[in-house]
């Protein structure tokens, strides 16, 4: 079974109800909600997020916390991830340490992109986190949370990485499978992993060398421009190669 995404009218209705619940029922509140929805519905990549009720609510919180809705995708994804890991669900859970959490999730996202997959088994996920800690000792050497507990905290605290169900493995066993709550988060975190060198064998890698093998691969189409944007002026060799 599949749950359909929200349609434009439903996005507008949820936004209006949210604004009324948070800011009160007034004409100005309705106008602000309509303007925000116009901005969301005018960008296909943001619409893809807004079709998910949880992520639409996250977008609304980003607008409220930041004061505006970022239209540059890197900035938007950054704010959404920060909100999910630090601000979201604050009453029920302690905030996660961004300096430890983001590199591990980015490492996982990069490894999943390398494998061309959106799903990862629980065992593969734990092994990937163990590998991240081994490859990034200067960042993660002092992490005390076990990989298993880390996965549970990320899911319960942020829903950024979530268990999607169970699938049969090569041994005929049913194993839990995980995905990022939206492909855009996986793409952004993979791009950030490349730029920040949160990847396997990162010391031998630069931006162009990391992306060159994937230039013709469809599922890397978003990662490449995101990485270029995050790299700033360091993206020049990549841009020259693309030209």
């Amino acid at each position: 079974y599949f749950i359909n995404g929200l349609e434009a009218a439903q996005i507008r209705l949820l936004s209006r109800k949210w604004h009324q619940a948070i800011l009160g029922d007034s004409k100005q509140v309705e106008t602000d909600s309509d303007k925000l929805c116009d901005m969301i519905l005018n960008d296909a990549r943001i619409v893809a997020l807004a079709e998910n009720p949880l992520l639409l609510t996250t977008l609304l919180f980003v607008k409220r916390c930041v004061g505006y809705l970022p239209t540059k995708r890197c900035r938007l994804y950054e704010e959404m991830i920060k909100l999910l890991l630090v601000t979201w669900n604050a009453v029920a859970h302690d905030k996660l340490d961004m300096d430890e959490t983001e590199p591990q999730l980015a490492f996982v996202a990069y490894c999943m992109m390398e494998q061309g997959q959106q799903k990862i088994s629980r065992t593969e996920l734990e092994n990937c986190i163990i590998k991240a800690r081994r490859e990034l000792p200067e960042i993660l050497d002092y992490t005390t949370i076990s990989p298993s507990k880390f996965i549970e905290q990320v899911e319960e605290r942020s829903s950024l990485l979530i268990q999607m169900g169970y699938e049969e493995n090569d041994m005929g066993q049913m194993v839990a499978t995980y995905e990022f709550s939206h492909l855009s988060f996986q793409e952004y975190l993979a791009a950030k992993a490349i730029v920040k060198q949160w990847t396997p064998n990162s010391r031998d890698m630069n931006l162009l060398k990391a992306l060159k093998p994937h230039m013709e691969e469809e599922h890397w189409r978003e990662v490449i421009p995101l990485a270029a944007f995050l790299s700033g002026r360091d993206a020049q060799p990549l841009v020259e190669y693309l030209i």
Side-chain angles (χ1 to χ4, degrees), residues 3-165:
I3 300 176
N4 285 336
L6 298 178
E7 298 175 354
Q10 296 169 318
I11 289 172
R12 289 187 180 278
L13 180 60
L14 190 154
S15 174
R16 181 169 291 190
K17 294 288 188 183
W18 184 91
H19 277 82
Q20 289 171 342
I22 298 294
L23 301 173
D25 190 358
S26 70
K27 190 65 179 176
Q28 184 59 49
V29 167
E30 290 184 11
T31 301
D32 291 344
S33 175
D34 290 340
K35 285 182 179 178
L36 179 60
C37 286
D38 289 340
M39 186 183 301
I40 290 172
L41 294 169
N42 197 41
D43 189 318
R45 295 294 295 184
I46 301 181
V47 170
L49 296 169
E51 289 174 346
N52 179 314
L54 170 65
L55 299 183
L56 174 55
T57 310
T58 309
L59 285 169
L60 298 175
F61 269 113
V62 167
K63 163 66 167 58
R64 178 161 169 76
C65 293
V66 179
Y68 69 98
L69 188 67
T71 53
K72 291 182 178 177
R73 294 202 300 275
C74 279
R75 175 71 169 149
L76 177 61
Y77 300 152
E78 177 187 12
E79 292 296 337
M80 291 184 75
I81 289 171
K82 188 189 301 180
L83 186 143
L84 287 169
L85 292 176
V86 179
T87 309
W88 188 266
N89 211 7
V91 175
H93 300 280
D94 294 333
K95 68 179 182 180
L96 295 169
D97 187 335
M98 281 286 291
D99 293 335
E100 292 185 1
T101 304
E102 191 176 30
Q104 292 178 85
L105 292 177
F107 192 98
V108 169
Y110 174 83
C111 291
M112 291 172 69
M113 292 299 303
E114 280 282 302
Q115 296 297 319
Q117 62 190 47
Q118 283 183 246
K119 292 181 182 178
I120 186 169
S121 72
R122 175 68 180 240
T123 302
E124 291 174 322
L125 181 55
E126 289 188 13
N127 289 338
C128 194
I129 292 169
I130 292 169
K131 187 176 182 180
R133 295 176 180 186
R134 187 169 61 246
E135 293 273 352
L136 309 173
E138 66 281 3
I139 302 172
L140 302 173
D141 241 8
Y142 300 99
T143 302
T144 57
I145 304 170
S146 69
S148 179
K149 185 65 175 177
F150 173 79
I151 294 167
E152 292 169 6
Q153 284 189 348
V154 169
E155 181 174 22
E156 292 173 1
R157 176 69 178 77
S158 69
S159 298
L160 189 56
L161 189 68
I162 51 179
Q163 183 180 330
M164 296 300 292

Side-chain angles (χ1 to χ4, degrees), residues 199-238:
T199 62
N201 305 313
S202 58
R203 289 178 177 83
D204 303 323
M205 198 73 66
N206 59 40
L207 183 66
L208 179 56
K209 189 175 180 180
L211 294 174
K212 201 171 181 180
H214 307 294
M215 293 295 183
E216 302 297 327
E217 295 178 15
E218 181 68 24
H219 67 283
W220 281 78
R221 281 188 69 175
E222 286 299 317
V223 177
I224 293 168
L226 288 171
F229 182 86
L230 288 169
S231 297
R233 297 186 67 184
D234 291 338
Q236 183 175 341
L238 171 64

